[in-house]
């Protein structure tokens, strides 16, 4: 599907510098942790055993799918990355479709917005064999869903994120 929210998100993702930089590592780590917190909320809501990376829209409405050509164009711009990067982009776009076609979604924070902002602030992430999520030079232990749920929500405005990087 091509919905307004999905097309707007695709435009944001097309502008990302996928090569990245290391000057915003602190904010990017904080955004990844916020994504994990929000993903935990949605995993709990959808009773999903997968976490933190899963297709939330697919758990709620399997029909909520973004057009495959939109994902293909973005995958071409991103280049060679771990498969989870393309998957998270597709899942974020699917969630945007879901948000447009379902006005009755539970009142939880947008799950993929922190991840999209993390991409916008300097590229992707990696998963290592030890179960860590690597953002730039920082290795974040996955931890448990309970630990993620216990985190304080992150203030994601640009000024707060910039302050993290300056501190």
């Amino acid at each position: 599907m091509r919905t307004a929210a999905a097309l707007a998100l695709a435009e944001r993702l097309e502008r990302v510098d996928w090569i990245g930089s290391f000057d915003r590592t602190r904010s990017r780590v904080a955004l990844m942790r916020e994504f994990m917190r929000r993903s935990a909320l949605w995993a709990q809501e959808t009773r999903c055993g997968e976490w933190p990376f899963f297709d939330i829209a697919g758990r709620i409405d399997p029909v909520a799918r973004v057009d495959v050509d939109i994902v293909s164009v973005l995958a071409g711009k991103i280049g060679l990355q771990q498969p989870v990067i393309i998957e998270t982009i597709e899942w974020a776009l699917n969630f945007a479709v879901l948000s447009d076609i379902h006005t009755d979604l539970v009142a939880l924070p947008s799950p993929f917005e922190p991840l999209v902002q993390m991409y916008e602030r300097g590229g992707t992430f990696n998963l290592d064999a030890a179960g860590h999520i690597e953002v730039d030079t920082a290795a974040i232990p996955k931890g448990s869903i309970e630990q993620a749920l216990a985190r304080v929500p992150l203030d994601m405005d640009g000024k707060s994120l910039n302050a993290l990087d300056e501190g």
Side-chain angles (χ1 to χ4, degrees), residues 33-136:
R33 286 189 174 124
E34 177 63 10
F35 163 74
M36 293 168 68
R37 184 188 76 79
R38 291 181 182 200
S39 177
L41 291 169
W42 283 95
Q44 189 175 52
E45 174 66 26
T46 61
R47 295 179 180 87
C48 182
E50 296 177 65
W51 171 83
F53 305 106
F54 69 103
D55 184 7
I56 296 166
R59 299 278 305 171
I60 297 169
D61 182 354
V63 174
R65 316 282 350 126
V66 69
D67 285 355
V68 68
D69 63 313
I70 294 173
V71 177
S72 295
V73 167
L74 289 168
K77 290 182 181 268
I78 294 167
L80 297 174
Q81 299 286 343
Q82 288 192 7
V84 72
I85 302 302
I86 303 299
E87 290 171 338
T88 60
I89 288 167
E90 182 174 2
W91 297 334
L93 290 162
N94 289 343
F95 193 84
V97 168
L98 179 76
S99 298
D100 274 348
I101 65 173
H102 283 276
T103 58
D104 59 344
L105 288 178
V106 65
L108 290 175
S110 174
F112 293 101
E113 182 59 26
L115 196 58
V116 170
Q117 284 192 34
M118 188 202 78
Y119 292 150
E120 290 173 324
R121 293 180 76 79
T124 65
F125 64 92
N126 293 304
L127 302 176
D128 72 13
H132 291 95
I133 301 166
E134 296 176 342
V135 176
D136 300 335

Side-chain angles (χ1 to χ4, degrees), residues 19-37:
I19 295 171
S21 68
F22 292 91
D23 60 340
R24 293 180 166 177
T25 299
R26 288 182 182 163
S27 65
R28 288 173 29 80
V29 166
L31 286 162
M32 176 57 78
R33 286 189 174 124
E34 177 63 10
F35 163 74
M36 293 168 68
R37 184 188 76 79

